Each structure stands twice: as C-alpha cells, then as structure tokens.
Amino acid sequence: MKRFAIYKIAISLPLAVLAAALLIFINEASFQRSTAAAANIEEAQQTRGAINKLLQHVLDAETGQRGYLLTGDPRYLEPYTTAMADLQQTLGVLNQLFAPYKDQLAEFGVMSEHVSRKLAEMDLSVRMRREGNEDAWKFILTTDVGKVHMDAIRAQSARLTASSISKMELGQAQIKKTLLLSRIGIATMALAGLLAFYMYLQQTKALLAAGKREQESLQRERDMLESQVRERTASLAKLATHLQNVREDERGHLARELHDELGSLLTAAKLDVARLKSRLAGNVPEATERLAHLTSTLNSGIALARRIVEDLRPSSLSHLGLVASLEILAREFQERSELTITTDLEHVELGGAAQLTVYRLVQESLTNIGKYAEARQAEISLHTFDGYISVEVRDDGKGFKLDSVGPTSHGLAGMRHRVEAAGGRLTVTSSEGSGTQIRAVLPRGS
C-alpha cells in the first residue's frame, strides 16, 4: 500500500511541477506581449500629443504674425517668437518618434516641408512689416499661400494621427487577446494544479496512515530500549557505587595496614636508633652524626606514612569531625603549595558516608586547583540550611570552558557520581580568566 502511494506521488508531483512551469511560461509570455503592447500605446499617445502640439504652435505663430501685421505692435511678436522656438523642438521629437517607421517618416517629411514653407511665409511677411514695405506684406497677407500650406499641414497631421490611433487600437486589441489567453491558461493550469493537489492529498493521507503505524511500532521499540537503558544505567550506577565503596574499603584497609605495620616498624627502628645513639654518647662522633641523620630520615618516613594514611582514610573524620578535618586538609595543602586557602566552615549534621563524600569532594577540588588552575587564592565554605547543606570550593585561577571538558575528565565525573549517589547535586561554574566554582548540595542527615 505504501509503495503504491509513493508511486502515485511520483506521478502527481511531476504533474504539479509541469502545471506550475506552464503557468509561469504563460504568465511570462503574456507579460512580454502586454508590455510591448503598452509601449506601443504609450508611443502612439506621445505621437498624437506631439502632433497636436505642432498644430497648436503653428496656430500660435500664425496668430502672433497676423496680430503684428495688422497692428504693428511688437508685443504680438512675443507669442510668435515663442511658438517658432517650440516648433523646432516639437519637430525634433516627432522625427525621433517616426524614425523606426519608414512610411510614417515619409509622411512626416512631407508635413515638415509644409511646416517649413509656412514658417518661411510668416517670417517673410513679418520681416517686410518691420522694414516698412507695406505693399509686400499686404500682398503676402492677401494671397492664399499660407492657407494652402496650413491645409496641407492639417491633412498630413490628420493622416499621422489616424495612423497613431490605429497603432493604439492594435495595441489594445493585443492586450485584450493576451489577457484572454492568460485567463484561459491560468484556468487550465489551476484545474491541473487542483487535480494534482487532490491526488497529493490522497497519497499523503495514505502515507500518513502508514507512517503512523510505523511510528507506533518505533515508539514501542523505543520504549523497550529506554527501559533497557534505564535498567542498564541503574545497574551501572549501582556498580559504580559498589566499586567506589570497595575502593574506600581497600583504602581504609591499606591505611590500617600502613598505620599498624609500617608505623610500628618505623617507630621501632626510631627507638633502636635512639638506644644506639645513647650508648655511643659521643664516643664515635661520625656514628653519632649518621644516627642523627637516620633519626631525621625515620621522622620524615613516619610523617610521610602518616600523611599517606590520612589521604587514604582520614582518621580525623572519626576523631575530630568534618569541620576539623577540612581545616587540617586546607592547612596541609597550603603548606605543600603556594596557594592561600581561607575557610568558612559551619558545623553540620551528616552521616559518616556523607562526611566522607564532602571530604573527598574538597580534596579532589584542591588537587585539581593545584594541578591546573594556576590560582593564588582558594576558599572553602560549608553551610547548613533547612533540610540540606552546601559545600563550595572557589578559586581565582585561569578557569576553563565547560564544553571543553571531555569524557576522559574522570575527576569531575567521579565527584558528580559521588555527590549524586549521596542524593545531592553538583554544579560547576567556570569561564576562562574568571576562576572556577564547585558547589555541592547534599540532604541533611544523609
């Protein structure tokens, strides 16, 4: 069923594309023809307007000429002079308009010749009137030469105007024909598009039904996979917690072994050296000096063993409490590094496992600061609130981009898992050049 629907879509889509392409072609062709027809109409209108202007200028010139001849008043020459100047400009415009058309250009040439003769006749009479040759200008005025030329100009103008009107009518007919063709084409393509759209809707409906069935199947599989992932994640979290507890147990066992066995051995060796030193009592200066060096070495070994034991399993947690253990941790870390550490610690009520979680969090944070932060100062704070406690380690180091921390960064991942296993939440805030803040929130009494 789905394959058949896809086959139908493969037919309907090309049909719709073909209909759209034909519609675009028809519209473009109609636009080109309509544009050409509109340009012809506009040109015809310009031609008619220019011809009318030409006739008006000739009439204005003739009116000014006759007024001057009859009155001799030079003021009548102003409209005559203006009309003569405008006549030359209008003739130039008409010459450009008729230039592409040989037949009309020939008729315009005839009309231009009559206009030139008319202008020559008017110019001659005006010049005779200025020179005071009464008989000459009166003779010109009483002849029919001006009327003959004017009638010829009107006749030629009428023919050219009729030609322009025919051109306009042809353009209008072309526009009507183009519009009719566009209407037919658009209607046909619209019907074809509707048919293709109907086929597409039917096919889409079938595809949606098939897709819905597939989505339901995929959803069932997804739910099953998510259930398996949750189970595996819970198993891995339990395993990680178990491994963490085993690690702490092993560290506690190793700390006890080092404290009981190695500590006893080093202490016994120190006592033996003290006995030897007291028996020699300066009799053998060189041996006394070596015994003093050996005593110093044993003291360093005992201190190292004590520090290793404290790192493995801080005995101060069970003897002194969390606050004192954190202060000792901060003081010893400050002595081993160039870091200045300040503490703001408040007494909190936490179980042994939660206390160890807070201690390891601060310990790992200080280790990271010493390795990577290049900081000068650090601050450790511990506060209690209603229902939860907050522990925070802040430094003024170089910071880092949080998105640059890769999956191989086991330190932060270990801290996060340890805090979340205790029912808390860990947040890390840092940016380049602004230091780093590690904050954990744990439930009280955990």
Side-chain angles (χ1 to χ4, degrees), residues 327-399:
E327 289 177 347
I328 294 172
L329 176 64
R331 183 173 63 251
E332 291 180 350
F333 191 86
Q334 181 175 264
E335 291 174 356
R336 295 195 306 267
S337 64
E338 298 179 356
L339 194 66
T340 301
I341 302 177
T342 58
T343 58
D344 181 14
L345 306 176
E346 182 180 347
H347 176 73
V348 297
E349 297 180 359
L350 287 176
Q355 288 186 10
L356 184 59
T357 297
V358 173
Y359 185 89
R360 293 301 187 200
L361 172 66
V362 175
Q363 187 181 42
E364 182 67 24
S365 299
L366 291 177
T367 302
N368 289 338
I369 293 173
K371 287 182 179 179
Y372 312 113
E374 299 179 8
R376 292 175 297 176
Q377 294 181 349
E379 179 183 354
I380 303 171
S381 61
L382 177 66
H383 298 285
T384 181
F385 300 94
D386 292 338
Y388 69 94
I389 65 103
S390 172
V391 57
E392 181 178 309
V393 181
R394 183 195 301 267
D395 68 76
D396 62 349
K398 63 181 182 180

Side-chain angles (χ1 to χ4, degrees), residues 114-358:
H114 288 295
V115 170
S116 299
R117 292 176 181 177
K118 177 64 178 177
L119 295 179
E121 177 261 330
M122 288 190 292
D123 182 67
L124 178 61
S125 61
V126 169
R127 190 170 62 253
M128 293 296 101
R129 184 71 170 88
R130 284 175 177 171
E131 294 175 356
N133 194 340
E134 297 289 334
D135 295 335
W137 69 261
K138 288 181 179 179
F139 174 77
I140 295 172
L141 189 62
T142 56
T143 61
D144 292 333
V145 175
K147 182 177 181 304
V148 171
H149 292 314
M150 195 64 193
D151 291 341
I153 292 172
R154 287 193 178 95
Q156 290 297 121
S157 299
R159 282 193 289 271
L160 292 174
T161 301
S163 176
S164 299
I165 293 174
S166 298
K167 189 176 181 181
M168 289 176 60
E169 292 175 349
L170 180 62
Q172 292 173 351
Q174 181 66 33
I175 290 176
K176 290 180 179 179
K177 183 178 178 181
T178 302
L179 291 176
L180 179 61
L181 179 62
S182 297
R183 291 178 61 186
I184 295 173
I186 291 173
T188 303
M189 293 303 104
L191 290 175
L194 289 175
L195 177 60
F197 183 67
Y198 175 75
M199 294 175 62
Y200 177 76
L201 288 179
Q202 295 297 319
Q203 298 146 15
T204 303
K205 184 177 179 181
L207 285 176
L208 288 176
K212 185 177 180 181
R213 291 192 294 271
E214 291 184 358
Q215 286 179 358
E216 292 174 353
S217 176
L218 290 174
Q219 185 63 40
R220 289 192 295 270
E221 295 179 2
R222 189 182 300 113
D223 293 340
M224 182 178 65
L225 290 175
E226 287 179 354
S227 177
Q228 293 177 355
V229 169
R230 284 194 297 269
E231 293 176 359
R232 297 289 177 83
T233 302
S235 299
L236 291 174
K238 290 180 181 179
L239 178 60
T241 303
H242 173 70
L243 293 176
Q244 189 176 41
N245 293 333
V246 170
R247 180 188 178 192
E248 290 294 339
D249 293 340
E250 290 179 349
R251 294 176 71 167
H253 175 71
L254 181 59
R256 286 191 297 271
E257 292 292 328
L258 289 174
H259 180 270
D260 296 339
E261 301 296 332
L262 181 61
S264 299
L265 292 174
L266 291 175
T267 303
K270 183 178 177 181
L271 292 174
D272 290 340
V273 170
R275 291 191 190 98
L276 290 173
K277 185 177 179 181
S278 63
R279 289 181 180 180
L280 293 174
N283 296 327
V284 184
E286 183 179 356
T288 303
E289 182 180 352
R290 298 303 299 173
L291 289 173
H293 178 70
L294 181 57
T295 301
S296 176
T297 303
L298 288 173
N299 288 332
S300 299
I302 293 171
L304 176 61
R306 185 180 297 113
R307 189 171 72 250
I308 292 174
V309 168
E310 287 298 316
D311 287 341
L312 289 173
R313 186 74 175 185
S315 60
S316 57
L317 277 177
S318 57
H319 296 98
L320 302 176
L322 179 60
V323 173
S325 298
L326 293 179
E327 289 177 347
I328 294 172
L329 176 64
R331 183 173 63 251
E332 291 180 350
F333 191 86
Q334 181 175 264
E335 291 174 356
R336 295 195 306 267
S337 64
E338 298 179 356
L339 194 66
T340 301
I341 302 177
T342 58
T343 58
D344 181 14
L345 306 176
E346 182 180 347
H347 176 73
V348 297
E349 297 180 359
L350 287 176
Q355 288 186 10
L356 184 59
T357 297
V358 173

Side-chain angles (χ1 to χ4, degrees), residues 18-192:
L18 179 61
L22 289 175
L23 182 60
I24 294 173
F25 174 76
I26 291 173
N27 284 336
E28 185 64 23
S30 300
F31 174 76
Q32 296 295 337
R33 291 183 181 180
S34 299
T35 302
N40 291 333
I41 292 173
E42 183 179 1
E43 186 179 12
Q45 290 177 343
Q46 291 179 356
T47 302
R48 288 182 59 189
I51 291 173
N52 292 332
K53 281 186 179 181
L54 180 66
L55 289 175
Q56 186 62 44
H57 293 329
V58 172
L59 291 175
D60 291 344
E62 188 178 39
T63 301
Q65 175 239 1
R66 290 184 178 275
Y68 175 70
L69 292 178
L70 293 175
T71 62
D73 190 348
R75 289 179 299 175
Y76 284 96
L77 291 179
E78 182 177 353
Y80 168 79
T81 305
T82 303
M84 293 291 283
D86 292 339
L87 270 170
Q88 299 300 325
Q89 183 178 359
T90 305
L91 286 171
V93 172
L94 285 171
N95 186 60
Q96 292 180 357
L97 291 173
F98 289 128
Y101 312 102
K102 294 182 179 180
D103 296 339
Q104 295 181 358
L105 185 62
E107 293 184 3
F108 174 69
V110 175
M111 186 179 71
S112 298
E113 185 178 352
H114 288 295
V115 170
S116 299
R117 292 176 181 177
K118 177 64 178 177
L119 295 179
E121 177 261 330
M122 288 190 292
D123 182 67
L124 178 61
S125 61
V126 169
R127 190 170 62 253
M128 293 296 101
R129 184 71 170 88
R130 284 175 177 171
E131 294 175 356
N133 194 340
E134 297 289 334
D135 295 335
W137 69 261
K138 288 181 179 179
F139 174 77
I140 295 172
L141 189 62
T142 56
T143 61
D144 292 333
V145 175
K147 182 177 181 304
V148 171
H149 292 314
M150 195 64 193
D151 291 341
I153 292 172
R154 287 193 178 95
Q156 290 297 121
S157 299
R159 282 193 289 271
L160 292 174
T161 301
S163 176
S164 299
I165 293 174
S166 298
K167 189 176 181 181
M168 289 176 60
E169 292 175 349
L170 180 62
Q172 292 173 351
Q174 181 66 33
I175 290 176
K176 290 180 179 179
K177 183 178 178 181
T178 302
L179 291 176
L180 179 61
L181 179 62
S182 297
R183 291 178 61 186
I184 295 173
I186 291 173
T188 303
M189 293 303 104
L191 290 175

Side-chain angles (χ1 to χ4, degrees), residues 395-400 429-437:
D395 68 76
D396 62 349
K398 63 181 182 180
F400 60 93
T429 304
S430 182
S431 61
E432 292 184 345
S434 299
T436 303
Q437 175 190 8

